[in-house]
């Protein structure tokens, strides 16, 4: 996250739909990821959320399924 601005006092009236993020001039491929503005306290941050690569999703699914199979074996003995 990149801090765009910080306020000393209370931020009021912030509305995400009042901002347009134009990524047309961004040099790197976004590969399905997206930028967003997020207010945290009195600070406004520009964040980037990448899309997980298929290998990461498969590894997570394998870990979940493998853990479930191990748990099942232990409870049936």
């Amino acid at each position: 996250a990149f801090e765009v601005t910080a306020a000393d006092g209370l931020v009021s009236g912030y509305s995400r739909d009042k901002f347009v993020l134009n990524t047309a001039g961004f040099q790197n491929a976004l590969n399905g990821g997206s930028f967003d503005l997020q207010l945290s306290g009195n600070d406004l941050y520009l964040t980037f959320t990448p899309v997980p690569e298929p290998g990461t999703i498969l590894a997570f699914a394998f870990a979940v399924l493998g853990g479930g199979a191990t748990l099942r074996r232990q409870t049936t003995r």
Side-chain angles (χ1 to χ4, degrees):
F2 174 77
E3 185 177 55
V4 177
T5 186
D8 290 335
L10 180 66
V11 175
S12 64
Y14 170 77
S15 179
R16 171 61 185 94
D17 63 339
K18 301 294 182 194
F19 293 87
V20 174
L21 295 174
N22 181 353
T23 59
F26 196 72
Q27 293 180 353
N28 296 338
L30 299 180
N31 295 327
S34 61
F35 284 99
D36 196 17
L37 289 173
Q38 297 178 343
L39 185 64
S40 177
N42 293 329
D43 303 328
L44 186 62
Y45 290 93
L46 176 66
T47 60
F48 179 75
T49 304
V51 173
E53 294 192 19
T56 304
I57 295 170
L58 290 174
F60 176 74
F62 180 75
V64 169
L65 293 174
T70 302
L71 179 62
R72 210 173 302 121
R73 265 188 264 126
Q74 290 176 350
T75 58
T76 57
R77 288 185 180 177

